[in-house]
Amino acid sequence: MRVLLTGGAGFIGSAVADALTERGHEVVLLDALLPQAHGVEPDTRHRLVRGDVRDGDLLRELLPDVDVVCHQAAMVGHGVDPGDMPEYVAHNDHATAVLLAAMHEAGVDRLVLASSMVVYGEGRYRCAEHGLVRPGARSPADVEAGRFDPRCPRCDRFPAAELVPEDAAPDPRSTYAATKLAQEHLAAAWARQTGGRAWALRYHNVYGPRMPSGTPYAGVASLFRSALHRGEAPVVLEDGQQRRDFVHVRDVAAANLAAVEDPAPRGALDAVNICSGSPRTIGELAETLARACGGPDPVIAGGARPGDVRHVVADPAKAERVLGFRARTGFAEGVAEFAAAPLRAAVGQG
C-alpha cells in the first residue's frame, strides 16, 4: 500500500516509517521539522517532503493514489504555559481539519491517527463506598502536604486506581490533552460523514531511540535521560509513586503497522490503547535509567505541575482483540536499550 505518513521524520514517525517499509509498503513522509522536536536536519532513508500539514495545496499534490494516511504530526508534550495554546491548536487541530478535508477531496477513506492516553485525564478510580468515580483536580493543600492521590468527589477518601479501558469518559487536563481529544472528534465526524475508516491509537508513555532532547516538549523519559547525559540527577516530581504505562517506540510502530493493514470499521472512529500492559512508577523509571546510565540517583522533589495527573495505566485487552497487537519489549530490556541509544540533538544544536 501507499502510505502518507505525517510527522514521519519525528521520534515515533520515523520508527513507523521503518516498520512500514520493512513490510513492503511505499511510504511518503511529510514533516514540518518543528524545532520543538528536531535540532538538526533528519537523516532518513525514506522519501521526505518538508512541509506543513496545514498546506492544503501540498496535500492535494501528495494524496492522489494514497491508500492510507498515518497521521503522526503533532505538537506534543506538557508545554511551557498557556501561551502555547494557539500553537497547539494550530498544529494539532487545525492541521487535522485541513488534512481530513483534503482526504475527502482526494477520495482517501482510511486514517490511522496518533492519539494519546492524555485524553483520559486521571485514570479509572474505584471508591470502596461509591464504586467508580471521577476525581477532580488535586487540591493545592493536599499537594503541599505530600498527599498526591486524588480524592473521591463524594466522600473525600482516596479511591483505588484501576486499568483504564477505551470506553472511559474523556477528561483532558492540559492543552495538549484537549487538542488530542479534539483530533479524535474531528476524525470521528469525518468518518461518519464520508463512510471513512479511522483508528485512534491512544499511545501511553512512549520511549526509545530518537527521542528529542533539550526541549520542554519532550516526554519524561527523555528529560531523565538528558539529565543523566549531563551528569545530573533526574528530578522526579511528587513522591515518584505516580503510575504510568511505558511502551517502547518499536511496539508503537508495530501497532501502527497493524492498524495500516487492518481497516477500522466503516463510518466510525475506533479508539485503542497502545500500551505495554505493565504499569510502572515514574520513580522506578528514573531509578532504572540512572542505574543503566551509571548516573546519580534520582532526586524526589515533591510538588506537581498544573494539569498533571496521578495515575493513568491502560487496559491492553482491546488492542489484542481488534488489532492482534501485544507489546513485545519488556521494561528492563527497553530501558537498558534506551539508556545507550542516541537521542535527537538538543534544540538549537546542529
Side-chain angles (χ1 to χ4, degrees), residues 8-33:
F11 162 46
I12 296 174
S14 62
V16 174
D18 290 345
L20 290 170
T21 301
E22 288 165 9
R23 185 62 71 93
H25 298 294
E26 179 187 355
V27 182
V28 178
L29 278 54
L30 174 62
D31 203 300
L33 303 181

Side-chain angles (χ1 to χ4, degrees), residues 224-310:
F224 290 166
R225 167 73 197 285
S226 297
L228 289 161
H229 183 73
R230 297 190 300 267
E232 301 170 3
V235 177
V236 180
L237 297 181
E238 302 185 22
D239 58 0
Q241 296 305 303
Q242 57 271 48
R243 291 195 298 278
R244 299 290 188 271
D245 187 303
F246 297 99
V247 57
H248 196 279
V249 69
R250 189 164 47 242
D251 288 319
V252 172
N256 275 273
L257 176 62
V260 164
E261 294 183 340
D262 188 355
R266 182 167 295 282
L269 176 138
D270 202 0
V272 183
N273 287 327
I274 304 301
C275 60
S276 73
S278 300
R280 305 281 176 160
T281 68
I282 297 288
E284 187 175 1
L285 173 67
E287 291 168 0
T288 306
L289 259 180
R291 286 196 301 269
C293 293
D297 291 337
V299 173
I300 305 299
R305 295 184 303 182
D308 267 358
V309 297
R310 180 61 170 172

Side-chain angles (χ1 to χ4, degrees), residues 34 36-37 72-79 88 92 176 180 212 216-219:
L34 294 178
Q36 295 93 332
Q72 307 292 319
M75 186 171 171
V76 302
H78 196 85
Y88 272 106
N92 296 357
Y176 173 59
K180 296 310 286 185
Y217 298 91

